[in-house]
Amino acid sequence: MSEDQRIHDAVEGNTHGKNKWAILFTVLIMTFMATLDSSIVNVALPVMQKELGVGLDQIQWVSSIYLLTTCAVLLVFGRLGDIYGKVRYFQGGVAIFALGSLLCGMATTLEFLVLARAVQGVGCASAMANNMGIITESFPARERGRALGLLASFVALGMMCGPVLGGFIVSALPWEYIFLINVPVGVASLFVGFKTLPHVAPQSAGRRLDVLGSVLLVPGMLLTFVSITMLEAGATPSTLLMLAAGLGLMVAFVMVERRVDDPLVALSVFRDRAFMVNIACLFISFVAIGVYELMTPFYLQDARGFSPDAAGLIFCVIPLANAIAGPISGAVSDRIGCERPTCVGLFVFAAGLLLVGFFGEETGLVHILICLGLASLGTSIFQSPNNSLVMGSLPREALGFGGSLAALARYLGMAIGISGSTSLLYSQMSVAAGYRVTSYVAGRPDIFLYGYRIVYVVTAALVAIGFAMTLVRMMRRK
């Protein structure tokens, strides 16, 4: 491919004869399904725990292993997509995800369910590592913000709709159906993809997968993330040894990547300060999303006494705001640029989180809806233009890597937000109670609200740091 053709494709997009909107629709369906499954399980965990006859410390692995496996293999699948074809690995991810969903629905023991969830995580990683790259390649620069805005909306919608949809399914059907509903959707998405997606191999002559780097990276990340998750239950010699082994493999990975000619991870992109700001802010935003996705149902049901169905309906304001604001933000960023929308979005998000953190026992329903909607509006304004900045700063041959790195930032941020906010909540509740607290104290909403408020203040401050980073970046560019 000539240099002129590469420039033309970067500006105008190249669908290889396929309809770009059909490509977008196919990618959005799988993206929604994969992100939905990262959050839908949480509401069904108490039911699974009783039916499988296991403890709370064991059942949480059903949720954790999905996120951890996805994070561990994302970068490898992004690189494979760059070399051998993004659509090929996107479609392969859809197939593996559907198979994992079927296995989850057939599980009768915790061990088998956790293994099946790991299979789901591998499929999710393969698809999510390449979805942004497919869209970026297919859409011209002038429409890319709108397309990536829809993608960001579907990512957030999937994560926010999970608890709502999961609550309805578990109340009406056996818990296995939260997984089995993915099977027909996945199969349909797979067959639609054969018609709508451009199955064209990239020009990858002389490029190959860094096998040694992959062998070091995947177990290194998996051991590190798993050991950090296990540290919540206390530091044991085996856990610390696992953490040391994971960190050692990660250090060895970086040393190998600095020497190979065709590395798995393009370390040079991390020298781009603007790119790092975009990735850091993406990570921060999903830490915050993980926090208020977990904390909001606890507040509504425990501190305020709303029924699960009523809490689910209140929670709907979050994906509703996202669905409306996300595409609009993408379209606006196509016209005025991406810098200002990302800055405004993080400011609104931080303000909304701070207001949500000061909910009390008597906070009115309208006030709750407005504040939750404001927080969701902020992240909706931010996501689309930030995605455009991430993908627009990379060469065409590294789009798979960029998409996988962005997906890693999302999933890792959400996992840290959930685990970190839980630890902070219970530690502060223990301070308020004067003794160790590991769950909601019946009849004492004040203890919960004390910890809840501190969690949200810390989260809002973290998002405010992201806002300051985008503001400084914008001022420097001007």
Side-chain angles (χ1 to χ4, degrees):
M1 183 184 295
S2 67
E3 185 63 27
D4 289 343
Q5 182 63 42
R6 285 178 180 168
I7 294 173
H8 177 271
D9 287 350
V11 175
E12 297 299 328
N14 189 352
T15 62
H16 301 281
K18 301 292 185 177
N19 185 290
K20 61 187 177 185
W21 297 108
I23 294 172
L24 178 63
F25 173 77
T26 306
V27 172
L28 291 181
I29 294 301
M30 177 56 199
T31 299
F32 177 79
M33 186 171 66
T35 52
L36 178 79
D37 230 65
S38 67
S39 60
I40 195 173
V41 172
N42 294 336
V43 74
L45 288 180
V47 178
M48 294 182 193
Q49 180 187 353
K50 293 174 184 176
E51 295 200 13
L52 295 174
V54 297
L56 183 61
D57 58 331
Q58 295 171 295
I59 199 66
Q60 63 98 13
W61 282 103
V62 175
S63 178
S64 299
I65 197 66
Y66 179 79
L67 292 172
L68 297 177
T69 307
T70 301
C71 290
V73 296
L74 265 168
L75 295 178
V76 175
F77 281 120
R79 181 62 174 165
L80 287 169
D82 280 335
I83 298 173
Y84 302 111
K86 297 174 184 62
V87 169
R88 177 181 299 177
Y89 280 90
F90 178 84
Q91 288 284 82
V94 174
I96 295 171
F97 185 86
L99 174 62
S101 299
L102 179 62
L103 294 174
C104 287
M106 296 168 58
T108 56
T109 65
L110 177 66
E111 293 77 12
F112 189 85
L113 179 58
V114 170
L115 180 63
R117 285 285 282 171
V119 174
Q120 267 192 318
V122 172
C124 171
S126 185
M128 297 297 285
N130 292 287
N131 59 355
M132 289 176 68
I134 293 172
I135 292 173
T136 303
E137 284 185 345
S138 302
F139 278 79
R142 63 182 178 276
E143 296 177 344
R144 202 166 289 156
R146 185 183 307 172
L148 290 173
L150 285 167
L151 180 70
S153 292
F154 271 68
V155 168
L157 278 171
M159 290 181 172
M160 300 304 177
C161 288
V164 180
L165 183 58
F168 285 122
I169 291 175
V170 171
S171 62
L173 297 167
W175 63 263
E176 290 87 348
Y177 279 86
I178 65 173
F179 302 112
L180 293 176
I181 60 169
N182 292 327
V183 178
V185 178
V187 172
S189 175
L190 190 64
F191 280 102
V192 170
F194 284 123
K195 294 287 186 181
T196 59
L197 298 177
H199 293 264
V200 179
Q203 294 186 355
S204 57
R207 303 176 67 194
R208 60 184 181 182
L209 178 66
D210 176 14
V211 177
L212 178 58
S214 303
V215 170
L216 292 170
L217 177 66
V218 174
M221 293 185 73
L222 199 56
L223 285 171
T224 302
F225 295 155
V226 169
S227 59
I228 290 173
T229 304
M230 293 173 66
L231 282 173
E232 292 181 27
T236 63
S238 59
T239 303
L240 294 175
L241 183 62
M242 187 185 301
L243 178 60
L247 293 174
L249 288 172
M250 296 292 288
V251 171
F253 167 74
V254 174
M255 294 175 65
V256 168
E257 294 302 282
R258 294 176 65 180
R259 294 192 177 116
V260 297
D261 295 330
D262 202 6
L264 176 68
V265 174
L267 297 177
S268 59
V269 303
F270 296 109
R271 300 190 192 103
D272 185 337
R273 189 176 299 173
F275 178 80
M276 289 305 298
V277 168
N278 300 333
I279 289 293
C281 289
L282 180 64
F283 172 77
I284 287 171
S285 71
F286 273 87
V287 169
I289 287 173
V291 170
Y292 82 102
E293 180 184 291
L294 180 73
M295 291 292 148
T296 304
F298 275 105
Y299 167 77
L300 294 174
Q301 294 182 52
D302 290 338
R304 293 301 308 276
F306 287 106
S307 67
D309 290 349
L313 289 174
I314 294 170
F315 205 83
C316 282
V317 71
I318 296 174
L320 181 62
N322 229 299
I324 295 172
I328 295 174
S329 174
V332 170
S333 67
D334 283 336
R335 292 177 177 271
I336 68 171
C338 300
E339 299 281 351
R340 281 176 288 173
T342 57
C343 198
V344 170
L346 287 177
F347 177 80
V348 174
F349 192 21
L353 289 170
L354 195 60
L355 291 173
V356 170
F358 281 88
F359 286 169
E361 296 179 57
E362 305 298 330
T363 304
L365 179 59
V366 174
H367 183 77
I368 291 173
L369 291 172
I370 291 173
C371 292
L372 288 176
L374 182 66
S376 182
L377 176 66
T379 187
S380 304
I381 294 172
F382 165 77
Q383 295 295 338
S384 169
N386 191 71
N387 285 344
S388 294
L389 288 172
V390 169
M391 301 305 287
S393 60
L394 296 170
R396 190 176 188 83
E397 62 272 13
L399 291 177
F401 166 71
S404 62
L405 188 62
L408 176 61
R410 287 196 296 266
Y411 280 101
L412 188 57
M414 192 173 172
I416 289 175
I418 291 172
S419 60
S421 63
T422 302
S423 299
L424 181 59
L425 173 70
Y426 289 141
S427 69
Q428 295 305 308
M429 286 177 64
S430 299
V431 171
Y435 56 87
R436 181 171 170 76
V437 172
T438 57
S439 62
Y440 183 80
V441 181
R444 293 294 306 274
D446 57 304
I447 293 177
F448 170 80
L449 289 171
Y450 178 83
Y452 169 89
R453 187 164 296 121
I454 291 176
V455 168
Y456 268 96
V457 169
V458 171
T459 306
L462 184 63
V463 176
I465 292 172
F467 161 71
M469 291 165 63
T470 58
L471 185 63
V472 170
R473 178 191 61 191
M474 185 172 66
M475 293 172 64
R476 281 182 173 174
R477 288 199 174 182
K478 283 186 176 180

